C-alpha cells in the first residue's frame, strides 16, 4: 500500500463532529502514553501530524486521518490515566466508548500495549470487548526499541497470556523510532481495508 495522501480531516470532541459518510475506519486504542499518536505518525511517515507528549493525556479528542481518499486511521484519547480528575477521565471514557460502540464505519480496532509492561485490567477488558464485538483482535506492542533483544520473547509471551490472545500472529512488536514491523502492518492494513 502506497500512502499518497494524508489529511487530518476532523478533530471531534463530540459525536456530531464525526465525518458523515461510510468510509472504512481503523481505530487505535490503549492506555494513555502507550504510543497511539506516535504510531500513527510513524506509520504515515509524518513526524508531527498527530500531537504526542511524554506526559499522558495528550490526545483529548477523536482525530480522523483520511488516507488516499480511501480509508481513515482514527486516533483516540487513552484510558487509565490516574492523574486527571474523575470528571475528565469520565469524559474521555465516554468519548472512546461512544465511538467504539456506535461507529458503523469501524472495520477494525487495534489494541496498543507497551511491550515492557504486563497489560492492565483495563487492557484486558478492552481486549475482551474487542473480541466479543467480532473484531480480529490485533495487538501492537509498542516501544520495541526500549527492551533488549533477549527480553522480547518473554514479554510477548506475557502479553499473549495476560490478554488471552488466540494466536501469536495477532501480536506485532512495533517501534515508532525504528519503524520495526511497519512493512508487516502496512500489509495487514491493506488487507483489512480491501476486505
Ligand atoms: P495519549 O494521547 O496521552 O493517550 O498518549 P499516546 O498513546 O498517543 O502516546 P504518544 O504517542 O503521545 O507517546 C507517548 C510517549 O511515548 C512520547 O514521549 C513518545 O515519544 C513515546 N513513544 C511512543 N512510541 C514510542 C516508541 O515506539 N519508542 C519510543 N522509544 N518511544 C515511544
Ligand atoms: Mg495520543
Amino acid at each position: 500500500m502506497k500512502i499518497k495522501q494524508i489529511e487530518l480531516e476532523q478533530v471531534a470532541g463530540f459525536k456530531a463532529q464525526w465525518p458523515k459518510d461510510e468510509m472504512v475506519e481503523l481505530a487505535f486504542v490503549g492506555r494513555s502514553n502507550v504510543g497511539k499518536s506516535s504510531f500513527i505518525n510513524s506509520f504515515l511517515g509524518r513526524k508531527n501530524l498527530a500531537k504526542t507528549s511524554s506526559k499522558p493525556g495528550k490526545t483529548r479528542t477523536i482525530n480522523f486521518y483520511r488516507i488516499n481518499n480511501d480509508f481513515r486511521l482514527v486516533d483516540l484519547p487513552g484510558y487509565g490515566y490516574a492523574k486527571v480528575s474523575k470528571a475528565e477521565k469520565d469524559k474521555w471514557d465516554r468519548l472512546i466508548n461512544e465511538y467504539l460502540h456506535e461507529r458503523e464505519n469501524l472495520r477494525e480496532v487495534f489494541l496498543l500495549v507497551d511491550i515492557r509492561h504486563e497489560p492492565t485490567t483495563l487492557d484486558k477488558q478492552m481486549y475482551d470487548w474487542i473480541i466479543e464485538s467480532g473484531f480480529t483482535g490485533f495487538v501492537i506492542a509498542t516501544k520495541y526499541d526500549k527492551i533488549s533483544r533477549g527480553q522480547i520473547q518473554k514479554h510477548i509471551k506475557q502479553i499473549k497470556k495476560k490478554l488471552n490472545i488466540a494466536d501469536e500472529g495477532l501480536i506485532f512488536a512495533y517501534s515508532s523510532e525504528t519503524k520495526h514491523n511497519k512493512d508487516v502492518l502496512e500489509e495487514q492494513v491493506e488487507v483489512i481495508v480491501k476486505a
Side-chain angles (χ1 to χ4, degrees):
M1 178 193 51
K2 258 219 149 56
I3 293 170
K4 293 178 223 137
Q5 202 193 5
I6 306 163
E7 182 196 342
L8 171 54
E9 185 180 359
Q10 185 65 289
V11 172
F14 47 89
K15 187 177 173 181
Q17 295 175 320
W18 297 353
K20 291 171 188 64
D21 59 23
E22 292 175 3
M23 189 173 270
V24 166
E25 292 175 359
L26 278 56
F28 299 86
V29 299
R31 277 168 51 210
S32 277
N33 207 241
V34 70
K36 300 173 295 297
S37 301
S38 301
F39 172 81
I40 289 179
N41 282 336
S42 71
F43 188 79
L44 297 177
R46 296 278 195 89
K47 264 216 146 56
N48 297 309
L49 185 69
K51 299 282 184 297
T52 66
S53 168
S54 57
K55 295 200 201 87
K58 183 67 179 175
T59 309
R60 295 167 180 230
T61 47
I62 300 182
N63 301 334
F64 296 84
Y65 295 92
R66 184 181 177 111
I67 316 302
N68 295 348
N69 271 326
D70 189 24
F71 65 96
R72 295 189 185 97
L73 299 185
V74 180
D75 191 10
L76 294 162
Y79 51 75
Y81 178 36
K83 289 185 188 151
V84 285
S85 68
K86 183 166 186 310
E88 187 87 348
K89 215 186 304 179
D90 287 351
K91 191 174 132 196
W92 298 347
D93 287 347
R94 264 203 311 279
L95 270 180
I96 301 165
N97 287 325
E98 185 179 49
Y99 175 82
L100 292 177
H101 287 97
E102 298 181 24
R103 186 62 166 164
E104 286 175 6
N105 306 43
L106 187 56
R107 173 76 61 85
E108 201 64 81
V109 182
F110 289 81
L111 176 67
L112 276 67
V113 295
D114 187 321
I115 198 165
R116 298 169 297 174
H117 309 304
E118 185 175 50
T120 65
T121 305
L122 285 176
D123 292 326
K124 172 75 175 135
Q125 281 171 13
M126 181 58 83
Y127 195 68
D128 287 349
W129 178 86
I130 287 171
I131 296 294
E132 282 159 19
S133 303
F135 297 110
T136 309
F138 292 117
V139 174
I140 297 174
T142 64
K143 311 194 185 184
Y144 172 81
D145 55 289
K146 289 202 171 198
I147 58 170
S148 63
R149 288 294 145 90
Q151 295 290 303
I152 290 161
Q153 265 321 305
K154 190 182 102 193
H155 285 252
I156 291 287
K157 281 218 168 69
Q158 185 185 51
I159 293 167
K160 181 172 180 250
K161 183 159 175 245
K162 175 81 186 200
L163 295 177
N164 197 15
I165 299 174
D167 181 342
E168 211 163 291
L170 294 170
I171 313 180
F172 303 89
Y174 189 78
S175 166
S176 302
E177 298 288 320
T178 67
K179 302 194 178 186
H180 173 78
N181 267 340
K182 180 174 171 234
D183 48 349
V184 182
L185 278 157
E186 263 172 4
E187 277 170 34
Q188 194 57 67
V189 165
E190 185 164 16
V191 169
I192 294 165
V193 170
K194 296 232 164 99

